[in-house]
Amino acid sequence: MANYYDIDDILAEEELVSVVFQKAVNGVGIDPSSETDSVEPGSKVELPFWLAHELHLRQIATMKLPPCFNQKTRLELGADAACVDLRSRCPYFYEFGCKIAPLVGDRDMGSFLLSAFKNRYQEVLAKAHTAAFAAASKSLTVLTKEETNYSRKQLFLGGRGNQQNSCSLQLQDCILLHHYVDIDSFLVAKRYLRVLRFVEKFGLVTSSLEKLASNSTSALNSGCMTTFFSGIRLRSVIGLDS
Amino acid sequence: MYGRKACQLVKELATGEKEQLTPFNSDQLDQVIAECSQHYSELQALIRNMQEKGLDVQTTKNEDHFGALVHHLSLVRNKRCLMSYLYKRAEILRNLIWKVGTMLPQEIQEKLSHFEEEYFKKHSASLKSYMSRIDLDLAVDMVPPKDPYIQVRVLDDIGEGIVLSDDKTANFTCHSMHFLKRTDAEQFISRVSSD
């Protein structure tokens, strides 16, 4: 659970979800189509996530998958993740996705979010180290809120070549991955970040980055816990643990 | 929609520059609190309704119960938004002490509510008492200096015969240059930057 005072968490929970009521509810004005102050069973209403979530858990209403995670978006992200305008669809795409995944019972959500994040992150990183700030800020408009937060820092720090700092910042900002719904993809994400750090430090080319990333994914699938802990040991041995 | 106003309040914090205060939005705050009282009275009405029907409020799960639940959840949500609004502002205020010192400039003071001013005063007072107890001014040298000495140019006539820490006196006439201990110069430098 995120910090109680966390502003981004609060705003992410304000995203609308459409729900279908299973039970009648009296004395509330949440259904704009209803004339009285009550909701009939079977009526469809758009509710903010914080309310829909609790009603869903108590089986008063069932939640539907929001449009920003529908098949069309998935196909677009699969085609070219970095170009999709996620901000206009949902400014808290990852946070919201992680929150909603266990509720709508979508098994692919975790890996879908991870692959979207991975592909887009790579693009942001590349832009941060190559493009001029003026040109790059144009591409900021398609990023989600979470992505802009870290890419801003990347842009400033990357420009100054302050690699040590930008490494630690990346990790800090990618704490958003903490909310990854299944432990597998969370660990994959963590490992992926370590790989990125590795790349930052030793300047590997993009193709070997890809290879490293794919290696860690498959390794994690075949026994993620052991790999993860040995990864920590390995990291301290080769002195990456700065 | 329930909780919308409270969320706008939080959004105000998110859209502003980081570590920058926006004017205290007491209007919106009052509106949210009014919304909370409205929720509370509606919740009470629903519970009363259940009691009049002779139902057990603890165990019955009818439409009145669900209605009360929605009001309860909205109350909890509004509370979270309000708390985080005040908490974040207090956090910014606490950080300000380290940046601008215990005297706030006029333009920042105008953005504070009465309670925040009070909070700021008390917080800086307790910081002061802590610093006097450990006999160390924590507000100087926020970035560790590379050299204990510093070259300064006097911008304003601040008088003659100012005693420095090594029992010498210096004449700080306008535009004169001095090579001083950093600790001696710091108080004058900070006076310039806060003016």
Side-chain angles (χ1 to χ4, degrees):
Chain A
M1 158 112 193
N3 185 350
Y4 182 77
Y5 300 108
D6 187 358
I7 286 174
D8 286 324
D9 193 60
I10 292 176
L11 293 180
E13 289 194 356
E14 191 70 19
E15 290 294 321
L16 291 178
V17 193
S18 69
V19 298
V20 181
F21 274 88
Q22 306 295 317
K23 305 250 169 66
V25 179
N26 252 357
V28 288
I30 46 179
D31 186 1
S33 63
S34 147
E35 279 158 20
T36 56
D37 265 357
S38 60
V39 185
E40 298 294 321
S43 48
K44 283 181 196 158
V45 188
E46 294 250 303
L47 292 182
F49 176 79
W50 55 267
L51 189 54
H53 170 71
E54 297 287 336
L55 297 182
H56 183 89
L57 289 182
R58 290 177 172 77
Q59 292 168 348
I60 302 167
T62 50
M63 213 185 267
K64 283 207 227 152
L65 196 66
C68 57
F69 302 111
N70 63 12
Q71 204 56 37
K72 191 167 163 266
T73 316
R74 286 182 194 217
L75 285 175
E76 278 178 44
L77 279 168
D80 190 355
C83 293
V84 182
D85 182 358
L86 279 186
R87 175 180 285 247
S88 64
R89 286 173 213 211
C90 175
Y92 294 93
F93 187 76
Y94 304 109
E95 286 269 3
F96 187 45
C98 294
K99 279 175 190 293
I100 212 163
L103 300 170
V104 292
D106 192 329
R107 287 178 162 276
D108 303 330
M109 188 76 112
S111 52
F112 159 64
L113 287 177
L114 183 67
S115 71
F117 177 76
K118 220 161 78 170
N119 294 335
R120 287 168 71 85
Y121 186 85
Q122 203 174 322
E123 192 68 18
V124 170
L125 203 63
K127 282 218 175 88
H129 287 278
T130 53
F133 184 63
S137 47
K138 204 175 147 199
S139 66
L140 284 177
T141 55
V142 301
L143 300 180
T144 72
K145 202 88 175 179
E146 302 125 330
E147 286 167 341
T148 23
N149 279 347
Y150 68 68
S151 63
R152 281 251 164 75
K153 285 178 191 162
Q154 276 287 336
L155 277 171
F156 286 124
L157 291 170
R160 286 191 217 138
N162 194 345
Q163 298 213 330
Q164 190 94 44
N165 253 345
S166 67
C167 279
S168 61
L169 276 173
Q170 264 168 48
L171 272 189
Q172 216 175 37
D173 285 321
C174 297
I175 301 287
L176 70 99
L177 293 166
H178 255 301
H179 307 294
Y180 264 107
V181 271
D182 55 12
I183 191 85
D184 267 22
S185 40
F186 171 59
L187 291 178
V188 171
K190 261 200 127 163
R191 241 197 105 102
Y192 181 71
L193 286 172
R194 279 202 311 116
V195 172
L196 279 174
R197 272 179 92 182
F198 204 83
V199 176
E200 285 259 308
K201 277 210 164 159
F202 301 108
L204 302 180
V205 286
T206 330
S207 58
S208 50
L209 162 82
E210 271 295 279
K211 221 170 116 197
L212 270 169
S214 64
N215 276 348
S216 53
T217 320
S218 54
L220 280 163
N221 284 343
S222 63
C224 54
M225 280 320 252
T226 33
T227 328
F228 180 63
F229 286 118
S230 65
I232 290 178
R233 271 203 299 278
L234 176 81
R235 187 166 55 165
S236 59
V237 169
I238 58 175
L240 257 182
D241 213 1
S242 54
Chain B
M1 180 48 68
Y2 295 159
R4 185 58 49 85
K5 286 206 175 86
C7 188
Q8 281 166 0
L9 206 56
V10 175
K11 214 170 244 169
E12 212 175 84
L13 282 181
T15 47
E17 277 296 307
K18 253 201 172 139
E19 300 293 309
Q20 291 269 331
L21 280 176
T22 46
F24 188 76
N25 199 341
S26 61
D27 266 3
Q28 187 92 353
L29 204 82
D30 289 343
Q31 280 177 35
V32 177
I33 292 169
E35 198 184 303
C36 287
S37 333
Q38 177 72 18
H39 279 307
Y40 181 64
S41 64
E42 283 179 39
L43 188 141
Q44 291 264 299
L46 285 164
I47 301 277
R48 256 202 311 281
N49 202 0
M50 282 169 84
Q51 279 165 343
E52 274 164 20
K53 284 184 197 157
L55 298 166
D56 183 7
V57 181
Q58 300 288 331
T59 53
T60 326
K61 300 262 188 284
N62 65 354
E63 58 266 35
D64 286 336
H65 169 82
F66 296 139
L69 175 73
V70 170
H71 286 299
H72 168 73
L73 291 172
S74 309
L75 274 169
V76 171
R77 168 77 179 176
N78 279 339
K79 180 183 158 195
R80 186 179 177 198
C81 292
L82 291 179
M83 292 289 271
S84 108
Y85 183 72
L86 296 175
Y87 180 82
K88 285 286 163 187
R89 286 180 65 94
E91 201 173 22
I92 296 172
L93 265 184
R94 283 199 304 275
N95 287 339
L96 270 178
I97 292 190
W98 302 105
K99 281 185 203 145
V100 300
T102 49
M103 281 305 291
L104 283 182
Q106 187 64 33
E107 65 265 26
I108 295 181
Q109 212 142 45
E110 280 163 7
K111 291 176 179 169
L112 301 183
S113 74
H114 173 64
F115 296 106
E116 283 171 327
E117 272 173 47
E118 206 53 23
Y119 174 76
F120 186 80
K121 266 183 211 148
K122 281 186 181 156
H123 186 68
S124 46
S126 52
L127 256 183
K128 247 184 214 159
S129 81
Y130 174 70
M131 286 190 225
S132 67
R133 210 168 60 223
I134 59 170
D135 201 18
L136 192 66
D137 191 359
L138 295 173
V140 296
D141 281 339
M142 295 308 278
V143 181
K146 287 206 171 76
D147 193 339
Y149 288 89
I150 186 174
Q151 179 109 34
V152 292
R153 190 166 66 86
V154 182
L155 294 175
D156 208 356
D157 254 326
I158 35 180
E160 293 176 5
I162 288 172
V163 184
L164 303 175
S165 54
D166 44 4
D167 286 338
K168 284 177 196 156
T169 56
N171 279 348
F172 286 157
T173 45
C174 203
H175 301 304
S176 58
M177 306 275 270
H178 300 270
F179 197 60
L180 296 176
K181 264 194 184 162
R182 193 175 271 269
T183 42
D184 291 330
E186 201 104 61
Q187 48 172 326
F188 299 112
I189 296 171
S190 69
R191 206 185 294 171
V192 171
S193 46
S194 66
D195 278 348

